[in-house]
Amino acid sequence: MEASQSSSSNSNPGQFSQDAQTPMRRPSAYPRPLISTFGWELQSIVASSPNFRHIERVHYTSPNANVDLVIKEFERSGKPMIINGWNRHPRWPRSMFNIEWLKTNGDQNPTVRNVHNWTDFKLPLDEFIKKLHDCPVYACADEQERLYGKDGECPTEWTEWLTQTGVIPNELLFYGSNDFLKFLPDKAKVQTLMCYMGIGDTFTPFHKDLCASSGHNLMCFSEHSGSAFWFMTESSAAPRVTAYFHQLGQEIDLETHVVTIEELANAPFEVYIAEQQLGDLVLVPPRSCHQVVNKGGITIKTSWSRMSLYGLQIALWHELPIYHRVCRPEIYKVKSNIYHALQHFTRITQDLPERFEDAPCITTDNLKHLVSLFDDILAAEFSVARDSMPHVSQSNLLHTDNLHCDFCGSDIFQSFFECDKCLPAASSGSSAGILPVGDGLTLCPLCYAEGRICHCGEMQPVQCRPFNDLLRIRDQAVMAIQRMEVGYVNAHGNLLGQPDRLLSVGDANIFEATYKLSQKRKADAKVSKSCRVVRAAPHQVPTAVYCRKCHHSECYTHLLELHSVHSVDAIARSDRQDGEEDWHQYHRSCSRQYPEIRRGVIEDQERGSRPNTLHQLTYLAKTFTTCRAIAIEVTNYGWYDRFAQATSIPVVNTPAKALLTLPDPIDDDEPCDDHTSNDSPYSPATPTRNVQRINSRRASASPNVARPTSPEGIISDQRRQADLSVIRDSRSPTVDPVSPLPESTTVQAFDSTASASTQTQLGTSVIDDLGNLSDLTDLPNEFDSPLHNTITAIPISETSVVLSFPSSSAPVPSSDTLLLTGSKLKSRLVFDCVEIPHPKWHGKTEKISSPPQPKRKRIAAPSPSNVAGSSDSDSTPSAVQESKRKKKSRGPASR
């Protein structure tokens, strides 16, 4: 992926009432300087920090460039590599790899991005190239536009050169001999070949390529010594990068942060650096986190991804569970890819002669590996009640892989939950009003298991195809291996005859646990449960887990928060037949064992080895608490979601006089998340002015918009045309990131010191509902993720809020709190992160304990000498001691 980010100037924080029903957004973090390549030199950068390394280079003609050896070493070590010198190859197409050829044969209307505000739009190719030539190679502090052509369609002639000339080895090509993506059906195939054209100081944020795929990037053209700086990590550093980004208040998988060289120099992992030049082919290993910064003149690069069997394994075991937590769309259909590759290698093995001694070992080895991975998929998708559920297709041959989770974006392979009432905008029903199975709101089993659910809460379990079809194909693969290897034994044996073998203790039966949860929700629909683990704030929840030994129920939020038990684990263990004692001892001991569990999960991530899935679910739920839901307009956040990130929000340009309590002005700054640093000047204790954005496209689109005035005069046309779009779910009917603002619009911002009468109205549009808290959602407080230390609580209202700019009658702040009055302000992109609203009991984690009782005097039985009503009715100390002695001397029978 080659996206680009750049920066602009300070935004306009505005402050809102602290009323709990008013949606609040955390103010922008302290602006940091623009990342510019001015003065960059490779040797100096590498020498500037002990954790910087050069990326290994191998010339394509060198004996060390043997493709098989290069690929094996590249994937074994997980370290980035560059094969250079391709521009010196005799068949290098110089006449085709240039701008003049593209003007005639390339896409004549490409999509380009202004990296200063992340706006994408179509632009004629000639005009785009002219703008690139007119643009300085280094970003200026006051520039408003720097264009970058990204994710462009690669010309057919370029594709043919790559695939047919044999210049680039087939093992490195898309759909080549080492790319498992080619096994997907034609309708499900993913296009990974793309082109990028840009000028200096356009760049990508720090990111990982999708689904542990292997990346390849070839620089085809360079003008005026144009180059690109690559900052990369090795594969095993992925969990350390994630932890470091959490310290910075960022999520690496949401791709919203551009790291500085200083941040990389302080990172607790090695960073590999290279300057890519013409003819350099950069090899990006699976899970390598990397950032690309273009330098100098125009460069044109073509890039593609391929998926190895090792990449499929890493994606299934480690990447997809993280994508589920942060809601990163899967795109590459990993489970379906494993399934179709299994069928391919089964057919090849079946066609070989039985016990054929010269049979290629790689075929049977690949098939054994795929069977093992597919068993993991089947165990997670299996339920004993599968046959009684509705099916999308009645035959495996008729099913197409086209479903995804409407909350996290993961590919739905076999089992899911569906609601035919809370329909996303993209759902398509029939003209007769009958909604086909699979066309409603769909959630993956793990989202449902973690409390993510539709608004009405009435979802039913569904199967994509008959489960026995999958078991039959899997058993055919096992029998094909046994034809070639007599001693081969699979852990599960034949599953078609005994599918319950998938319910073993060693597997995480996610869908089976989720199905039980759905049945509990139906059974408890009329009677809510009371979680009394927090004595100060007992609360009602739709479903909870009861422990007889503890004498109370606990909700799934507190089970994770206090005992480190994930909902899937809690449902499975509490439902077993081995008695209450096992569940009691288990949930009481998990919190003590969690530090060791956490270390084990991280070690598995570094090695890429098979994790303990239940331990992994616990660790991820406690660590990844920020998400970016796909269709939040029809879904509710889950038990373990704490922060919601709104996607790419350009901040409005405003008069300088409206900016209060900002730090000293900085001419250049880059886009930054609202929770970048713990030492941000916008700490919760600091009075600040929060910013609100509206989901209008152009404030100037309405002819009725008034022009507010200030002591400096009327806002300029450029300022009035600031981009105020909020890019949320692309299927949302209320947010269209490309359409103009409706006829009637409002742009307002509140000043904490100004009354309602001082607000100046610009129209009549209001901000959309940002989501409401599900009655099924009980949210956590203290998790592993440090994000909660850097973001203040920001409730999200169920009602719309109108914003206004302060009018000229608003109090004018003193000069020491203003930016430079004459400075020209620009809109700046902020990836805003808001805290999901919490129930009243949230944040209280005191376990049940007996309240202190007032001391009372012991009353002794009246002696014969005492008269009724005597004031001397208290027993003497000797009498009390005698009473205690007699009680201790009594046996159990007397008690």
Side-chain angles (χ1 to χ4, degrees), residues 34 98 175 269 350 447 454 499 519 530 645 679:
L34 166 72
N98 62 72
Y175 300 157
F269 46 82
Q350 288 173 339
C447 275
C454 66
Q519 298 307 301
S530 177
Q645 186 185 62
D679 48 357

Side-chain angles (χ1 to χ4, degrees), residues 410-473:
S410 64
D411 175 51
I412 291 177
F413 174 68
Q414 172 61 19
S415 305
F416 63 97
F417 285 80
E418 182 179 30
C419 176
D420 57 2
K421 299 177 182 177
C422 307
L423 300 180
S427 293
S428 57
S430 66
S431 57
I434 301 175
L435 189 71
V437 176
D439 279 9
L441 172 71
T442 57
L443 292 183
C444 67
L446 196 49
C447 275
Y448 189 89
E450 294 185 345
R452 296 167 174 176
I453 200 170
C454 66
H455 285 337
C456 72
E458 299 178 4
M459 306 195 77
Q460 64 173 346
V462 183
Q463 296 283 285
C464 286
R465 56 173 80 77
F467 201 87
N468 284 354
D469 288 358
L470 300 179
L471 298 179
R472 186 177 299 106
I473 290 172

Side-chain angles (χ1 to χ4, degrees), residues 229-250:
F229 277 84
W230 287 71
F231 302 87
M232 311 176 73
T233 68
E234 57 186 344
S235 298
S236 61
R240 281 170 284 160
V241 175
T242 297
Y244 184 58
F245 263 58
H246 283 177
Q247 293 177 12
L248 300 176
Q250 306 290 340

Side-chain angles (χ1 to χ4, degrees), residues 175-301:
Y175 300 157
S177 59
N178 197 26
D179 185 9
F180 276 62
L181 289 175
K182 66 176 177 286
F183 299 130
L184 285 170
D186 291 339
K187 292 183 179 180
K189 274 190 168 63
V190 181
Q191 177 59 261
T192 69
L193 180 63
M194 298 178 183
C195 286
Y196 304 89
M197 181 189 299
I199 195 74
D201 289 359
T202 54
F203 46 91
T204 70
F206 214 62
H207 68 283
K208 293 182 292 185
D209 285 343
L210 272 172
C211 298
S213 59
S214 299
H216 312 74
N217 190 292
L218 176 65
M219 184 171 286
C220 305
F221 174 80
S222 173
E223 187 177 76
H224 304 308
S225 301
S227 62
F229 277 84
W230 287 71
F231 302 87
M232 311 176 73
T233 68
E234 57 186 344
S235 298
S236 61
R240 281 170 284 160
V241 175
T242 297
Y244 184 58
F245 263 58
H246 283 177
Q247 293 177 12
L248 300 176
Q250 306 290 340
E251 280 293 355
I252 179 68
D253 285 290
L254 293 181
E255 302 184 4
T256 56
H257 182 55
V258 180
V259 295
T260 63
I261 293 180
E262 291 73 21
E263 287 173 334
L264 291 176
N266 296 324
F269 46 82
E270 293 181 341
V271 180
Y272 295 84
I273 306 175
E275 184 175 6
Q276 183 189 21
Q277 296 176 336
L278 180 64
D280 286 353
L281 175 62
V282 180
L283 305 183
V284 185
R287 295 193 299 162
S288 171
C289 306
H290 56 282
Q291 177 171 291
V292 187
V293 184
N294 295 320
K295 179 186 178 182
I298 297 175
T299 58
I300 301 176
K301 300 187 285 287

Side-chain angles (χ1 to χ4, degrees), residues 654-660 712 719 813 817-823 825:
T654 52
K657 290 295 183 181
L659 301 178
L660 288 171
E712 283 70 44
R719 189 169 292 135
T817 60
L818 294 177
L819 294 176
L820 298 177
T821 305
S823 63
L825 300 180

